[in-house]
Amino acid sequence: MGSNFLKAAGGVAVMLCVFVLGSVGYEHGPWSSEMASWVQGLGSVAAVGVACWFGVLPMWRENQMRAEGRLIFLSALRYAALGAVSDVARTTIAIGQGADAAKELTRLRDRSPGAALERLLTEPPSAWPSHVLYVDVSQICGFIDHIAAMQAPGPNATPAERAHFAEDLAKQKKMIDGNYEELMDVSSDLARRIERSLPRQN
């Protein structure tokens, strides 16, 4: 974007100089006072243009670096969310297939699937590219903590207690999936918009 703008501005400036100087030189001679005045005036305009450009350039570079940083953050966010949700899914599937619920929940706690997402939450909400993403990650971490803290029904548990455990587990998993789906949609849309704002590499 910056280089393209500079090329275009430079081209316009050159064409303008050629047109003006050619017209004045043709009418008054190449070394006339009118020609000198025009050269001085165009030089002043060019100097102002260059000063403005180098004043804007640091800001443009800063904005570009910020955009690239957001892309890196969004990529890390999606990767961490995918890992956490997949880990929870493995646990719930194993329990649903008859595995020892207590052991599966213990393994889930030991793996701390939400740890990477919780590290991202150390960034304040204002630093996130979208408040929706911050809320989704907060809720996903909360649901994972809820599942990890659940008490699996023991061997003497009643059918009602087992059913309640299964319903609560399925409910938490469904909430995680909903937040995860929204997180992926929002982060992907943001990434596409940021990528479109970046200069194209020639």
Side-chain angles (χ1 to χ4, degrees), residues 76-88 90 117 180 183-184:
L77 172 61
R78 290 196 295 267
Y79 183 81
L82 174 61
V85 172
S86 297
D87 206 347
V88 172
R90 285 195 294 271
L117 289 176
Y180 175 72
L183 181 152
M184 295 300 289

Side-chain angles (χ1 to χ4, degrees), residues 122-134:
T122 58
E123 293 290 333
S126 59
W128 284 58
S130 167
H131 183 68
V132 173
L133 294 178
Y134 183 87

